[in-house]
């Protein structure tokens, strides 16, 4: 949505420290409640992590929580699930391959739209042209439009062009679907930059092209980073577009492979937790290390339809 | 494998390099134009590729989708409003709509309420505790719905009676001497749908918490102080002073989650694939488009979804206009 939220600053945190609601004012019930909630939030993840390191027998003959009670029973532990799921195994699903494919899909689908959107955002911010405001309002409206509106014709178009199952098909789709948000975030950020800097560059005789590369791009790094993280997470975590345009063949990505593995009832069922962990580890690491930029992007009004 | 990675590298280099050369060439071309024409053409050089991408991947296909929604299953003949008639008189589709309505009523409201609760309470912890608890609640936002559904197997999993239970919920049932339950099959009171909603809420509360927490910290202290001087208690201050001031953010979070819920697909597709009366519009759309190969029904479902989203779209544009006026 477009409502901007004021980013919290350290000054504001300190300011709140007086009276009965500031930091450190928590009573025991509050502390216990928050701790309890955090535990509920973590328990499912813990379950997955523990199961992923347990043998097939251990997984099916006792609950994962029993491993917490007797962690020293070494017969239950194994790394074999990971070794198996990353290579060819009975289930016929190769997570190692899918994991690499996820990177192959995600990196270009993250980097390429940024460049295109940055140019557009510059035109929307620093250039005067007929139709500018109308086009931008359409882009704002498109932020809430679900990608589903485009899928039926695209699927037909792709199959007539023979693009289904190729990386190019998903790259292009993610570039198109990510574009409204990219332009929106970057334009909002650029319009907060001091106009005087651009004016003086103009007076010095710099062209738009030079101003863009030398001034605006370096100044917009935080917004570029915010969008990059969003887009990376969306593309990596996407199931629908990958399922439609890449399918389950050799080009399949981690989310689709993991979903395929869920259907296993016999052989390969013990591999689900390790496959799950392999699928979520990259976004988790990106997220934890770049949380600051992610939050900044969110509070500046990022939403994707 | 190496060939694939090389291809990806080529795509990155070719994509970016190609785009850069394209922009540079177009820019040169625009610069060679005389005077006023240069200024007229240049914005379209800069914004053109983005507009093209949006046109080709969103606007044009949306129009074609509208067209398909009035055509038969392979889009070879117009059938008028038949697709809509068929869908809206089909009892299973109506129950799909009802399920989606449940998602819409329950998920956004609970997500906002829980997020607000955590934001308020975590603010009162010492900075270290606040940061840690917020990171924990926020973490699932990075996890895909497929990943989340996999994670929640450790809670919901079912094994037949007599064998050891491997899901936490059924183990707890066992402690109370009850038979294990195949949770995803329980349609009474839509319990299975509710359990799927829990997974989605688990991933979304962090988002709601971060936005609301930052809005609460932006509430000016003097307004709170004024309330205190007038003798208002903490609860009164929160509901009469803080909440009205963060209301725009509450609406933002609510609507964002609402849009997500209206087109929810992954979590249902991965867990029940719509069985046991858990189906939702997003899953049904996928089924009609991909499995059933009926582009008429699929397109009509999307058009219905689009109609439902239109009020949000209008609100979004109005909100944006109001903010631009304040800039």
């Amino acid at each position: 949505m477009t409502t901007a939220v004021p980013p919290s600053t350290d000054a504001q945190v300190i300011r709140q420290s007086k009276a009965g609601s500031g930091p450190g004012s928590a009573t025991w019930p509050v502390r216990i409640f928050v701790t309890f909630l955090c535990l509920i939030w973590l328990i499912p993840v813990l379950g997955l992590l523990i199961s992923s390191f347990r043998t097939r027998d251990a997984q099916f003959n006792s609950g994962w929580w029993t491993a917490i009670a007797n962690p020293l029973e070494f017969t239950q532990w194994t790394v074999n699930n990971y070794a198996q799921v990353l290579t060819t195994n009975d289930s016929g699903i190769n997570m190692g391959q899918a994991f690499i494919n996820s990177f192959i899909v995600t990196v270009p689908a993250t980097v390429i739209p940024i460049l295109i959107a940055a140019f557009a955002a510059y035109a929307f911010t620093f250039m005067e042209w007929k139709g500018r405001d109308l086009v931008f309002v359409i882009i704002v409206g498109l932020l809430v439009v679900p990608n589903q509106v485009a899928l039926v014709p695209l699927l037909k178009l792709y199959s007539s062009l023979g693009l289904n199952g190729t990386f190019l098909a998903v790259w292009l789709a993610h570039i198109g679907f990510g574009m409204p948000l990219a332009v929106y975030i970057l334009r909002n950020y650029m319009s907060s930059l001091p106009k005087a800097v651009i004016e003086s560059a103009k007076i010095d005789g710099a062209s738009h092209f030079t101003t863009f590369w030398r001034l605006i791009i370096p100044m917009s790094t935080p917004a570029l980073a915010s969008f990059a993280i969003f887009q990376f997470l969306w593309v990596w975590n996407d199931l629908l577009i990958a399922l439609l345009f890449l399918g389950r063949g050799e080009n399949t990505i981690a989310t689709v492979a993991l979903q395929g593995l869920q259907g296993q009832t016999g052989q390969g069922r013990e591999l689900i937790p390790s496959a799950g962990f392999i699928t979520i580890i990259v976004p988790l690491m990106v997220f934890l290390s770049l949380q600051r930029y992610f939050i900044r992007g969110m509070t500046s009004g990022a939403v994707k339809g | 494998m190496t060939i694939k990675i090389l291809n990806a590298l080529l795509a990155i280099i070719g994509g970016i390099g190609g785009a850069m050369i394209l922009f540079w060439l177009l820019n040169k071309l625009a610069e060679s134009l005389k005077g006023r024409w240069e200024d007229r053409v240049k914005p379209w050089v800069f914004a053109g590729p983005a507009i093209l991408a949006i046109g080709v991947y969103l606007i044009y296909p949306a129009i074609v989708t509208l067209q398909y929604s009035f055509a038969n299953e392979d889009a070879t003949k117009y059938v008028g409003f038949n697709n809509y008639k068929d869908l809206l008189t089909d009892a299973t589709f109506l129950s799909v709509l009802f399920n989606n309505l449940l998602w819409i009523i329950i998920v956004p409201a609970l997500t906002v309420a829980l997020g607000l609760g955590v934001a308020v309470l975590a603010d009162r912890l010492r900075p270290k505790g606040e940061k840690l608890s917020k990171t924990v609640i926020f973490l699932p936002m990075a996890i895909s719905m497929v990943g989340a559904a996999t994670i929640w197997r450790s809670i919901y999993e079912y094994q037949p009676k007599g064998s050891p239970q491997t899901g936490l919920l059924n183990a707890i049932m066992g402690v109370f001497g009850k038979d294990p339950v195949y949770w995803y099959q329980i349609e009474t009171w839509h319990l299975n749908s509710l359990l799927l909603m829990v997974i989605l809420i688990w991933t979304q509360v962090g988002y709601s918490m971060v936005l609301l927490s930052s809005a609460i910290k932006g509430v000016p202290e003097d307004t709170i102080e004024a309330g205190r001087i007038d003798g208002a208690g903490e609860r009164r201050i929160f509901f009469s002073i803080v909440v009205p001031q963060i209301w725009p953010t509450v609406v933002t979070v609510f609507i964002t989650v609402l849009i997500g819920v209206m087109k929810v697909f992954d979590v249902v597709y991965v867990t029940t694939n719509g069985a046991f009366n858990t189906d939702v519009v997003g899953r049904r759309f996928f089924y009609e488009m991909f499995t059933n190969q009926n582009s008429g029904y699929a397109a009509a479902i999307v058009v219905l979804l689009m109609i439902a989203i239109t009020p949000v779209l209008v609100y979004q544009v109005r909100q944006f206009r109001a903010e631009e006026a304040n800039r």
Side-chain angles (χ1 to χ4, degrees):
Chain A
M1 302 309 304
T2 60
T3 316
V5 177
S8 64
T9 62
D10 293 340
Q12 281 167 329
V13 177
I14 294 159
R15 180 184 53 69
Q16 277 214 339
S17 61
K18 36 182 177 168
S21 60
S25 72
T27 51
W28 276 107
V30 169
R31 276 182 207 147
I32 291 167
F33 178 76
V34 175
T35 313
F36 178 70
L37 209 66
C38 287
L39 278 180
I40 292 183
W41 244 244
L42 279 182
I43 283 172
V45 185
L46 193 70
L48 177 88
L49 188 59
I50 291 175
S51 297
S52 76
F53 286 107
R54 297 181 85 208
T55 62
R56 184 182 165 86
D57 280 353
Q59 273 190 49
F60 296 128
N61 290 328
S62 59
W64 54 267
W65 52 90
T66 56
I68 303 175
N70 25 335
L72 294 177
E73 214 177 87
F74 287 109
T75 50
Q76 66 182 321
W77 300 116
T78 179
V79 287
N80 199 26
N81 296 333
Y82 284 91
Q84 275 214 14
V85 83
L86 284 170
T87 53
T88 328
N89 55 62
D90 297 338
S91 72
I93 288 167
N94 183 341
M95 278 307 281
Q97 173 87 58
F99 184 75
I100 291 166
N101 288 343
S102 274
F103 274 105
I104 295 178
V105 165
T106 310
V107 176
T110 304
V111 183
I112 295 170
I114 292 179
L115 182 72
I116 299 173
F119 268 103
Y122 181 92
F124 281 111
T125 321
F126 301 114
M127 290 171 162
E128 294 288 336
W129 43 290
K130 226 178 164 181
R132 182 185 75 169
D133 295 340
L134 177 69
V135 174
F136 197 72
V137 163
I138 293 173
I139 290 177
V140 170
L142 285 173
L143 286 175
V144 298
V145 172
N147 298 338
Q148 273 95 334
V149 297
L151 296 181
V152 181
L154 278 184
L155 196 63
K156 281 200 193 266
L157 181 72
Y158 274 179
S159 56
S160 69
L161 293 174
L163 273 175
N164 275 330
T166 66
F167 290 125
L168 185 64
V170 258
W171 286 332
L172 290 173
H174 281 301
I175 291 172
F177 295 149
M179 197 53 68
L181 183 71
V183 175
Y184 178 74
I185 290 187
L186 296 178
R187 184 264 188 189
N188 269 8
Y189 189 84
M190 284 182 191
S191 60
S192 72
L193 294 175
K195 287 268 188 300
V197 180
I198 288 91
E199 289 300 321
S200 65
K202 210 184 222 172
I203 293 164
D204 290 348
S207 70
H208 278 304
F209 207 70
T210 322
T211 315
F212 175 77
W213 279 115
R214 296 280 163 79
L215 275 176
I216 302 301
I217 288 291
M219 284 165 90
S220 304
T221 318
L224 298 172
S226 291
F227 174 73
I229 298 165
F230 270 97
Q231 180 78 355
F232 185 91
L233 292 180
W234 270 312
V235 177
W236 185 283
N237 288 340
D238 157 72
L239 176 72
L240 182 57
I241 292 167
L243 200 56
L244 280 179
F245 299 146
L246 275 182
R248 301 186 191 280
E250 55 165 347
N251 286 351
T252 200
I253 66 167
T255 49
V256 179
L258 175 61
Q259 187 273 327
L261 205 56
Q262 307 267 339
Q264 304 282 336
T265 44
Q267 285 298 315
R269 212 174 139 205
E270 75 279 13
L271 302 177
I272 296 173
S274 48
F277 197 71
I278 290 165
T279 309
I280 65 170
I281 187 66
V282 173
L284 276 185
M285 270 162 39
V286 167
F287 179 78
L288 283 177
S289 53
L290 300 169
Q291 205 178 356
R292 201 158 46 93
Y293 290 105
F294 189 79
I295 290 178
R296 191 178 303 171
M298 256 172 41
T299 49
S300 69
V303 62
K304 188 169 164 175
Chain B
M1 181 50 69
T2 4
I3 292 171
K4 268 191 183 173
I5 295 172
L6 275 177
N7 264 339
L9 280 176
L10 266 177
I12 299 173
I13 297 163
I16 295 170
M20 264 153 130
I21 292 169
L22 182 77
F23 278 115
W24 184 81
L25 271 179
L26 286 171
N27 185 61
K28 275 278 163 237
L29 222 71
E31 273 173 3
S32 70
L33 292 167
K34 294 258 169 338
R36 267 202 351 223
W37 277 100
E38 188 188 334
D39 290 337
R40 270 190 203 162
V41 171
K42 241 185 193 172
W44 294 98
V45 167
F46 274 55
I51 294 172
L52 188 73
I54 290 170
V56 171
Y57 273 88
L58 282 165
I59 295 173
Y60 173 71
I63 295 166
V64 178
T65 297
L66 184 65
Q67 210 184 343
Y68 281 174
S69 77
F70 296 107
N72 62 355
E73 71 271 8
D74 50 2
T76 47
K77 212 178 92 200
Y78 282 107
V79 293
F81 280 91
N82 280 1
N83 292 327
Y84 294 95
K85 256 186 242 156
D86 290 354
L87 283 172
L88 294 174
T89 51
D90 172 17
T92 49
F93 186 72
L94 290 178
S95 70
V96 166
L97 284 183
F98 180 74
N99 281 338
N100 239 75
L101 192 67
L102 282 181
W103 282 77
I104 288 169
I105 293 170
I106 295 170
V107 176
L110 260 181
T111 306
V112 169
L114 271 171
L116 190 60
V118 179
V120 170
L121 296 178
D123 275 353
R124 301 184 174 193
L125 302 175
R126 277 181 292 256
K128 241 190 194 154
E130 181 190 346
K131 194 157 184 274
L132 186 69
S133 53
K134 281 187 173 173
T135 304
V136 167
I137 304 287
F138 200 27
L139 204 64
M141 257 222 99
I143 298 173
S144 55
M145 285 318 300
V146 190
T150 312
I151 286 171
W152 279 81
R153 285 169 72 104
S154 60
I155 308 293
Y156 293 156
E157 219 169 11
Y158 160 85
Q159 306 291 348
K161 195 182 169 187
S163 29
Q165 291 304 316
T166 52
L168 192 58
L169 217 49
N170 272 326
I172 293 170
M173 294 291 280
V175 171
F176 289 104
K178 297 243 165 55
D179 286 347
V181 175
Y182 190 0
W183 298 106
Y184 288 155
Q185 270 183 355
I186 309 296
E187 293 178 34
T188 329
W189 297 100
H190 288 271
L191 181 70
N192 46 9
S193 288
L194 290 172
L195 293 175
L196 298 187
M197 291 180 206
V198 168
I199 303 180
L200 187 64
I201 292 171
W202 179 74
T203 65
Q204 296 293 308
V205 167
Y207 160 76
S208 146
M209 173 204 70
V210 166
L211 254 71
L212 291 169
S213 166
S214 128
I216 290 171
K217 285 181 175 169
V219 171
E221 181 70 13
D222 41 349
T223 57
I224 294 171
E225 206 53 50
R228 217 165 261 142
I229 290 166
D230 288 346
E234 285 300 320
R235 187 163 307 186
R236 182 80 199 277
I237 289 176
F238 180 71
F239 285 106
S240 307
I241 298 174
V242 175
V243 169
Q245 292 191 71
I246 62 167
W247 196 248
T249 311
V250 171
V251 174
T252 301
V253 173
F254 187 90
I255 289 180
T256 307
V257 179
L258 180 74
I259 300 169
V261 165
M262 285 170 102
K263 56 175 185 147
V264 64
F265 160 72
D266 314 29
V267 67
V268 178
Y269 180 70
V270 177
T271 50
T272 61
N273 196 14
F276 318 120
N277 196 15
T278 56
D279 208 2
V280 287
V281 172
R283 217 277 332 170
R284 179 67 182 258
F285 160 74
F286 180 83
Y287 169 79
E288 294 293 356
M289 169 176 61
F290 202 61
T291 318
N292 210 16
Q293 299 274 332
N294 188 327
S295 69
Y297 282 171
I301 292 172
V302 179
V303 173
L304 291 175
L305 179 66
M306 223 17 250
I307 292 170
I309 282 182
T310 304
V312 180
L313 197 148
V314 172
Y315 173 85
Q316 163 94 344
V317 168
R318 275 201 190 151
Q319 193 73 19
F320 169 74
R321 285 236 161 97
E323 253 170 53
E324 285 300 290
N326 285 334
R327 241 177 225 280

